Amino acid sequence: MERPLFSVRAEAFPAGLRVLVVDDDPTWLKILEKMLRKCSYEVTTCSLATDALSMLREQKDKFDIVISDVNMPDMDGFKLLEHVGLEMDLPVIMMSIDGETSRVMKGVQHGACDYLLKPVRMKELKNIWQHVYRKKMHELKEIQTHYNNEDINILRYGSEDLDDRNLTDGITNISSARKRKDVDYKEFGDQEFGDPSRLKKARVVWSVDLHQKFVNAVNQIGLDKVGPKKILDLMNVPGLTRENVASHLQKYRLYLSRLQKQSEDSTSGGNMPSDLINNDNVANFELTSSTNMQQCSEHTKHVGTSENLVPGIIADAHIGDIKKIVPVQGIESEKGLISDSPISQNFNNVPRLSALFSFKGMTPGIEEKAREPTTSKHQTLHDGAPRMQCMHYPGQGNCGMLDDYSYLSSSDQDHQVSFNLCSSSPVISATVTNEKDMKDLSEMKPVPTDQRNAHFAAIPQVACMTGSVSLQIKHGMVHSQDAGAICKLDGSPNTKGCSTEQIDNQECFPLTCEFSPKSEAELDSLPGDLHLCSIQKFGCFEDVGFGGAENFQDIISTPDTQVQNDWYISSELNNDYLYETVDYPLIDECLFA
Amino acid sequence: MLPLCSRVLLSHPFSPMSLMALREQLNMLVNSMYIEGLLDQQFQQLQMLQDASSPGFVAEVINLFCEDAERILTELTKDQAVVDFQKVDAYVHQLKGSSSSVGAQNVKLACIQFRQFCEENNKDGCLNALNVVKHHYYLLRNKFDTMLQLEQRIQAYDSKQQN
């Protein structure tokens, strides 16, 4: 069922995505801001992590996604990542010039949904909306699971605890949800959140007090027997509707289940830094783990979001032991969960909890609008073809994008800044890095200098091409290595060639030493049971800052290989996939010959 | 008797020839920087980001980079008697990051070497590496200065032509 409201939003997304960029490097901050603006995102920049965190805390619904550098003076990027994941539950992308596998691993472990290597390219930023969308999809799935669980409860406990209206609604929702299970989240969203006219109403803000009433009511009724109507009645808050309570209840359940899953994971042996447990989060987990106990006795299986793994916190709580339902405060005093800091018996720290519930951006609109991602060709700026392809955005973006890359149009040539004219500057030719494109490069004839293609004047272009190629050879033996590694999937002897080039390169920079110690360090730093030896060597490539390394990044981040996306997305780090794509043992030989 | 075209060119107040000459010069400069390894692809990215709405983008970024780089180099040059390798490494890492932002390839490579010496706690190596970094940085900065000057002059032409 397409409603006009949703189709409008579907076209707008991902334009207008609200991004917070955190980086202490002013140059990068400026560049990223510009790039993100060109992607039609709404950008806020911040050079201090502490500022960013307070900004996020103050205005919980202000951002859709956070991009942060790893190395910052005032706060470790990983720490910021944790905080944001815990408190605001936003997708966070990490960035660094350092591409060592151990660092990337750390990012993934801390919950980053992506890890970008600097220099970051536009094409990588263009697609960051996918993380927002993915998160929403996961959360919708979880809601569905909980609806199913609720269904089980209805059957188990009969309808006496739920009034007729609830039952009808519940079952209607569940059955219709089930029908659409695999396909249509949008319509499910419709069902759940009511008709669009309701969406336009102001959302209820779940303040500390309100949430406290809610939790009290839930505990009083008992989480297994709870229903929105009952809670509503108990809470006795004028102006609050059953729908408000219902949706809040879902979120609460999701939250609990996620923590349940995390605690299960942590007890099975995560080794996360203990400094994660700080005073800010203590009361969080006291509250939540105790309510976990209530819930876990009834629900056997929970779907957790892998993206938000917060490990190792509730290790002390004997969750499985508690069978009966006890009031929250009782548990706190009995078990003394996170012992050192004083356990607050009042709910002063509930703001954290409600922050966790503020499903930011989880307006139905986003589910709907996310239904139509940018499907058109994601041609990047770096294709080898002399004619640049513009990125296409659904709806409004198109003209804007064309204007932005206005150097393409030659009509206003004289008015353009000379950088954009680039009548002979190697704008396109030297950016070619793909396997495919490299072949094109060698075949490319000098483009005649007509007005239309004034940007690609003949002779200088050739010079540039030569220049860039020579660059590659001179400095970037890694580059051709990279190309070798990626392109020669059949494991041809190209990789052999690099060792000699390695030696040749010594005239420029004696960088051979760069490889071995680094990689040995990486060998040591990786946990032993991870069969990622080959990846770390890959990582070694990235760490070497040749011009080739950037080319490498291009290679791995192009849609052709899809390698980067599959590596750095935390949800599925699939070794099998990695081994399939590249012939690692040959790289091995090459590096450590 | 001069051919018509030359007379026209010579008589024109804003001779396209000199504008062309400026552009030619600028392009040759940038090209040479790529060839010599002073710049890499990232600089092209910057060029592409510049548009009508932000005509001074590249210049701004270059300036930011130079400020930041010089700040870091100043810090690194202090206290050469006792070397705090971790601190030095942190600075060099920063410089590596910001040099990657403008595509300052040689500087970045020099930073990588520098970090190697830091890791080895090699003081002499570090002092040496610092000089190498500075050498490459100032070389780059000179060229950037020329580049921006040419750029300015070209833009002056363009704006005059607009008026």
Side-chain angles (χ1 to χ4, degrees), chain A residues 335-357:
Chain A
K335 291 290 170 176
L337 294 166
I338 317 276
S339 52
D340 290 338
S341 48
I343 296 170
S344 56
Q345 293 293 318
N346 56 20
F347 287 75
N348 282 340
N349 286 312
V350 170
R352 300 283 179 235
L353 209 54
S354 40
L356 283 157
F357 292 146

PDB file of all heavy atoms in Angstrom, chain A residues 335-357:
ATOM      1  N   LYS A 335      21.797  -8.607  44.602  1.00  0.00           N
ATOM      2  CA  LYS A 335      22.927  -9.120  43.845  1.00  0.00           C
ATOM      3  C   LYS A 335      24.095  -8.163  43.756  1.00  0.00           C
ATOM      4  O   LYS A 335      25.215  -8.568  43.503  1.00  0.00           O
ATOM      5  CB  LYS A 335      22.464  -9.483  42.429  1.00  0.00           C
ATOM      6  CG  LYS A 335      21.544 -10.684  42.390  1.00  0.00           C
ATOM      7  CD  LYS A 335      22.306 -11.931  42.718  1.00  0.00           C
ATOM      8  CE  LYS A 335      21.369 -13.101  42.930  1.00  0.00           C
ATOM      9  NZ  LYS A 335      22.089 -14.335  43.167  1.00  0.00           N
ATOM     10  N   GLY A 336      23.798  -6.920  43.906  1.00  0.00           N
ATOM     11  CA  GLY A 336      24.909  -5.954  43.819  1.00  0.00           C
ATOM     12  C   GLY A 336      25.673  -6.118  42.520  1.00  0.00           C
ATOM     13  O   GLY A 336      26.832  -6.480  42.491  1.00  0.00           O
ATOM     14  N   LEU A 337      25.025  -5.886  41.478  1.00  0.00           N
ATOM     15  CA  LEU A 337      25.529  -6.278  40.170  1.00  0.00           C
ATOM     16  C   LEU A 337      26.899  -5.775  39.801  1.00  0.00           C
ATOM     17  O   LEU A 337      27.831  -6.530  39.629  1.00  0.00           O
ATOM     18  CB  LEU A 337      24.540  -5.841  39.096  1.00  0.00           C
ATOM     19  CG  LEU A 337      23.232  -6.571  39.189  1.00  0.00           C
ATOM     20  CD1 LEU A 337      22.205  -5.885  38.354  1.00  0.00           C
ATOM     21  CD2 LEU A 337      23.425  -7.984  38.760  1.00  0.00           C
ATOM     22  N   ILE A 338      26.996  -4.496  39.629  1.00  0.00           N
ATOM     23  CA  ILE A 338      28.311  -3.969  39.290  1.00  0.00           C
ATOM     24  C   ILE A 338      28.798  -3.310  40.543  1.00  0.00           C
ATOM     25  O   ILE A 338      28.458  -2.187  40.829  1.00  0.00           O
ATOM     26  CB  ILE A 338      28.232  -2.954  38.138  1.00  0.00           C
ATOM     27  CG1 ILE A 338      27.290  -3.450  37.036  1.00  0.00           C
ATOM     28  CG2 ILE A 338      29.600  -2.657  37.603  1.00  0.00           C
ATOM     29  CD1 ILE A 338      27.897  -4.376  36.063  1.00  0.00           C
ATOM     30  N   SER A 339      29.601  -4.013  41.227  1.00  0.00           N
ATOM     31  CA  SER A 339      29.729  -3.741  42.658  1.00  0.00           C
ATOM     32  C   SER A 339      30.374  -2.424  43.041  1.00  0.00           C
ATOM     33  O   SER A 339      29.924  -1.762  43.938  1.00  0.00           O
ATOM     34  CB  SER A 339      30.512  -4.884  43.290  1.00  0.00           C
ATOM     35  OG  SER A 339      31.708  -5.046  42.551  1.00  0.00           O
ATOM     36  N   ASP A 340      31.436  -2.047  42.409  1.00  0.00           N
ATOM     37  CA  ASP A 340      32.256  -1.000  42.997  1.00  0.00           C
ATOM     38  C   ASP A 340      31.554   0.330  43.180  1.00  0.00           C
ATOM     39  O   ASP A 340      31.580   0.924  44.245  1.00  0.00           O
ATOM     40  CB  ASP A 340      33.509  -0.774  42.122  1.00  0.00           C
ATOM     41  CG  ASP A 340      34.443  -1.958  42.225  1.00  0.00           C
ATOM     42  OD1 ASP A 340      34.311  -2.673  43.235  1.00  0.00           O
ATOM     43  OD2 ASP A 340      35.256  -2.174  41.346  1.00  0.00           O
ATOM     44  N   SER A 341      30.946   0.772  42.139  1.00  0.00           N
ATOM     45  CA  SER A 341      30.335   2.096  42.303  1.00  0.00           C
ATOM     46  C   SER A 341      29.035   1.960  43.070  1.00  0.00           C
ATOM     47  O   SER A 341      28.382   0.926  43.022  1.00  0.00           O
ATOM     48  CB  SER A 341      30.103   2.704  40.935  1.00  0.00           C
ATOM     49  OG  SER A 341      29.473   1.773  40.095  1.00  0.00           O
ATOM     50  N   PRO A 342      28.671   2.973  43.777  1.00  0.00           N
ATOM     51  CA  PRO A 342      27.454   2.891  44.611  1.00  0.00           C
ATOM     52  C   PRO A 342      26.237   2.651  43.736  1.00  0.00           C
ATOM     53  O   PRO A 342      26.036   3.319  42.750  1.00  0.00           O
ATOM     54  CB  PRO A 342      27.384   4.259  45.289  1.00  0.00           C
ATOM     55  CG  PRO A 342      28.282   5.131  44.508  1.00  0.00           C
ATOM     56  CD  PRO A 342      29.311   4.267  43.911  1.00  0.00           C
ATOM     57  N   ILE A 343      25.495   1.682  44.097  1.00  0.00           N
ATOM     58  CA  ILE A 343      24.326   1.354  43.293  1.00  0.00           C
ATOM     59  C   ILE A 343      23.208   2.305  43.643  1.00  0.00           C
ATOM     60  O   ILE A 343      22.831   2.434  44.800  1.00  0.00           O
ATOM     61  CB  ILE A 343      23.880  -0.093  43.564  1.00  0.00           C
ATOM     62  CG1 ILE A 343      24.985  -1.044  43.099  1.00  0.00           C
ATOM     63  CG2 ILE A 343      22.589  -0.394  42.846  1.00  0.00           C
ATOM     64  CD1 ILE A 343      24.764  -2.449  43.530  1.00  0.00           C
ATOM     65  N   SER A 344      22.730   2.938  42.655  1.00  0.00           N
ATOM     66  CA  SER A 344      21.689   3.924  42.934  1.00  0.00           C
ATOM     67  C   SER A 344      20.360   3.217  43.039  1.00  0.00           C
ATOM     68  O   SER A 344      19.930   2.512  42.132  1.00  0.00           O
ATOM     69  CB  SER A 344      21.654   4.961  41.830  1.00  0.00           C
ATOM     70  OG  SER A 344      21.482   4.339  40.574  1.00  0.00           O
ATOM     71  N   GLN A 345      19.748   3.385  44.138  1.00  0.00           N
ATOM     72  CA  GLN A 345      18.472   2.735  44.351  1.00  0.00           C
ATOM     73  C   GLN A 345      17.334   3.490  43.699  1.00  0.00           C
ATOM     74  O   GLN A 345      16.271   2.958  43.482  1.00  0.00           O
ATOM     75  CB  GLN A 345      18.182   2.602  45.853  1.00  0.00           C
ATOM     76  CG  GLN A 345      19.129   1.649  46.551  1.00  0.00           C
ATOM     77  CD  GLN A 345      18.947   0.209  46.094  1.00  0.00           C
ATOM     78  OE1 GLN A 345      17.838  -0.249  45.922  1.00  0.00           O
ATOM     79  NE2 GLN A 345      20.044  -0.492  45.904  1.00  0.00           N
ATOM     80  N   ASN A 346      17.571   4.711  43.455  1.00  0.00           N
ATOM     81  CA  ASN A 346      16.542   5.438  42.721  1.00  0.00           C
ATOM     82  C   ASN A 346      16.870   5.371  41.240  1.00  0.00           C
ATOM     83  O   ASN A 346      17.886   4.818  40.838  1.00  0.00           O
ATOM     84  CB  ASN A 346      16.443   6.887  43.193  1.00  0.00           C
ATOM     85  CG  ASN A 346      17.784   7.575  43.072  1.00  0.00           C
ATOM     86  OD1 ASN A 346      18.655   7.147  42.338  1.00  0.00           O
ATOM     87  ND2 ASN A 346      17.953   8.646  43.827  1.00  0.00           N
ATOM     88  N   PHE A 347      15.999   5.923  40.472  1.00  0.00           N
ATOM     89  CA  PHE A 347      16.168   5.770  39.041  1.00  0.00           C
ATOM     90  C   PHE A 347      16.743   7.004  38.391  1.00  0.00           C
ATOM     91  O   PHE A 347      16.363   7.387  37.315  1.00  0.00           O
ATOM     92  CB  PHE A 347      14.809   5.450  38.412  1.00  0.00           C
ATOM     93  CG  PHE A 347      14.381   4.057  38.705  1.00  0.00           C
ATOM     94  CD1 PHE A 347      13.908   3.729  39.954  1.00  0.00           C
ATOM     95  CD2 PHE A 347      14.479   3.074  37.749  1.00  0.00           C
ATOM     96  CE1 PHE A 347      13.521   2.440  40.239  1.00  0.00           C
ATOM     97  CE2 PHE A 347      14.088   1.779  38.030  1.00  0.00           C
ATOM     98  CZ  PHE A 347      13.609   1.457  39.281  1.00  0.00           C
ATOM     99  N   ASN A 348      17.691   7.574  39.072  1.00  0.00           N
ATOM    100  CA  ASN A 348      18.229   8.808  38.515  1.00  0.00           C
ATOM    101  C   ASN A 348      18.929   8.603  37.192  1.00  0.00           C
ATOM    102  O   ASN A 348      19.116   9.525  36.433  1.00  0.00           O
ATOM    103  CB  ASN A 348      19.215   9.448  39.495  1.00  0.00           C
ATOM    104  CG  ASN A 348      18.470  10.156  40.590  1.00  0.00           C
ATOM    105  OD1 ASN A 348      17.300  10.482  40.414  1.00  0.00           O
ATOM    106  ND2 ASN A 348      19.112  10.382  41.704  1.00  0.00           N
ATOM    107  N   ASN A 349      19.364   7.418  36.981  1.00  0.00           N
ATOM    108  CA  ASN A 349      20.102   7.220  35.739  1.00  0.00           C
ATOM    109  C   ASN A 349      19.232   6.732  34.608  1.00  0.00           C
ATOM    110  O   ASN A 349      19.722   6.348  33.581  1.00  0.00           O
ATOM    111  CB  ASN A 349      21.254   6.245  35.968  1.00  0.00           C
ATOM    112  CG  ASN A 349      22.365   6.923  36.734  1.00  0.00           C
ATOM    113  OD1 ASN A 349      22.765   8.019  36.389  1.00  0.00           O
ATOM    114  ND2 ASN A 349      22.818   6.301  37.794  1.00  0.00           N
ATOM    115  N   VAL A 350      17.973   6.745  34.845  1.00  0.00           N
ATOM    116  CA  VAL A 350      17.065   6.294  33.782  1.00  0.00           C
ATOM    117  C   VAL A 350      17.216   7.079  32.492  1.00  0.00           C
ATOM    118  O   VAL A 350      16.978   6.549  31.439  1.00  0.00           O
ATOM    119  CB  VAL A 350      15.612   6.329  34.291  1.00  0.00           C
ATOM    120  CG1 VAL A 350      14.635   6.111  33.158  1.00  0.00           C
ATOM    121  CG2 VAL A 350      15.438   5.248  35.328  1.00  0.00           C
ATOM    122  N   PRO A 351      17.629   8.315  32.584  1.00  0.00           N
ATOM    123  CA  PRO A 351      17.824   9.017  31.308  1.00  0.00           C
ATOM    124  C   PRO A 351      18.635   8.196  30.331  1.00  0.00           C
ATOM    125  O   PRO A 351      18.386   8.196  29.148  1.00  0.00           O
ATOM    126  CB  PRO A 351      18.580  10.285  31.687  1.00  0.00           C
ATOM    127  CG  PRO A 351      18.210  10.521  33.086  1.00  0.00           C
ATOM    128  CD  PRO A 351      17.800   9.231  33.691  1.00  0.00           C
ATOM    129  N   ARG A 352      19.600   7.480  30.802  1.00  0.00           N
ATOM    130  CA  ARG A 352      20.362   6.647  29.900  1.00  0.00           C
ATOM    131  C   ARG A 352      19.458   5.628  29.252  1.00  0.00           C
ATOM    132  O   ARG A 352      19.538   5.334  28.089  1.00  0.00           O
ATOM    133  CB  ARG A 352      21.450   5.889  30.673  1.00  0.00           C
ATOM    134  CG  ARG A 352      22.418   6.790  31.365  1.00  0.00           C
ATOM    135  CD  ARG A 352      23.407   7.379  30.373  1.00  0.00           C
ATOM    136  NE  ARG A 352      24.317   8.265  31.080  1.00  0.00           N
ATOM    137  CZ  ARG A 352      24.518   9.520  30.755  1.00  0.00           C
ATOM    138  NH1 ARG A 352      23.912  10.040  29.735  1.00  0.00           N
ATOM    139  NH2 ARG A 352      25.360  10.269  31.443  1.00  0.00           N
ATOM    140  N   LEU A 353      18.622   5.071  30.058  1.00  0.00           N
ATOM    141  CA  LEU A 353      17.741   4.031  29.567  1.00  0.00           C
ATOM    142  C   LEU A 353      16.822   4.576  28.508  1.00  0.00           C
ATOM    143  O   LEU A 353      16.606   3.985  27.471  1.00  0.00           O
ATOM    144  CB  LEU A 353      16.931   3.482  30.745  1.00  0.00           C
ATOM    145  CG  LEU A 353      16.495   2.037  30.635  1.00  0.00           C
ATOM    146  CD1 LEU A 353      17.695   1.174  30.371  1.00  0.00           C
ATOM    147  CD2 LEU A 353      15.875   1.627  31.960  1.00  0.00           C
ATOM    148  N   SER A 354      16.281   5.749  28.822  1.00  0.00           N
ATOM    149  CA  SER A 354      15.370   6.272  27.819  1.00  0.00           C
ATOM    150  C   SER A 354      16.126   6.701  26.581  1.00  0.00           C
ATOM    151  O   SER A 354      15.612   6.652  25.495  1.00  0.00           O
ATOM    152  CB  SER A 354      14.549   7.425  28.380  1.00  0.00           C
ATOM    153  OG  SER A 354      15.353   8.237  29.198  1.00  0.00           O
ATOM    154  N   ALA A 355      17.356   7.067  26.791  1.00  0.00           N
ATOM    155  CA  ALA A 355      18.151   7.386  25.609  1.00  0.00           C
ATOM    156  C   ALA A 355      18.290   6.162  24.735  1.00  0.00           C
ATOM    157  O   ALA A 355      18.250   6.232  23.533  1.00  0.00           O
ATOM    158  CB  ALA A 355      19.532   7.890  26.028  1.00  0.00           C
ATOM    159  N   LEU A 356      18.411   5.021  25.379  1.00  0.00           N
ATOM    160  CA  LEU A 356      18.546   3.797  24.612  1.00  0.00           C
ATOM    161  C   LEU A 356      17.291   3.508  23.840  1.00  0.00           C
ATOM    162  O   LEU A 356      17.308   2.822  22.847  1.00  0.00           O
ATOM    163  CB  LEU A 356      18.861   2.632  25.543  1.00  0.00           C
ATOM    164  CG  LEU A 356      20.308   2.626  26.005  1.00  0.00           C
ATOM    165  CD1 LEU A 356      20.449   1.874  27.284  1.00  0.00           C
ATOM    166  CD2 LEU A 356      21.201   2.039  24.953  1.00  0.00           C
ATOM    167  N   PHE A 357      16.203   3.995  24.363  1.00  0.00           N
ATOM    168  CA  PHE A 357      14.945   3.718  23.681  1.00  0.00           C
ATOM    169  C   PHE A 357      14.646   4.693  22.580  1.00  0.00           C
ATOM    170  O   PHE A 357      13.772   4.460  21.797  1.00  0.00           O
ATOM    171  CB  PHE A 357      13.774   3.771  24.663  1.00  0.00           C
ATOM    172  CG  PHE A 357      13.834   2.646  25.625  1.00  0.00           C
ATOM    173  CD1 PHE A 357      13.417   2.799  26.913  1.00  0.00           C
ATOM    174  CD2 PHE A 357      14.333   1.432  25.231  1.00  0.00           C
ATOM    175  CE1 PHE A 357      13.487   1.757  27.799  1.00  0.00           C
ATOM    176  CE2 PHE A 357      14.402   0.386  26.110  1.00  0.00           C
ATOM    177  CZ  PHE A 357      13.974   0.548  27.404  1.00  0.00           C
TER     178      PHE A 357
END
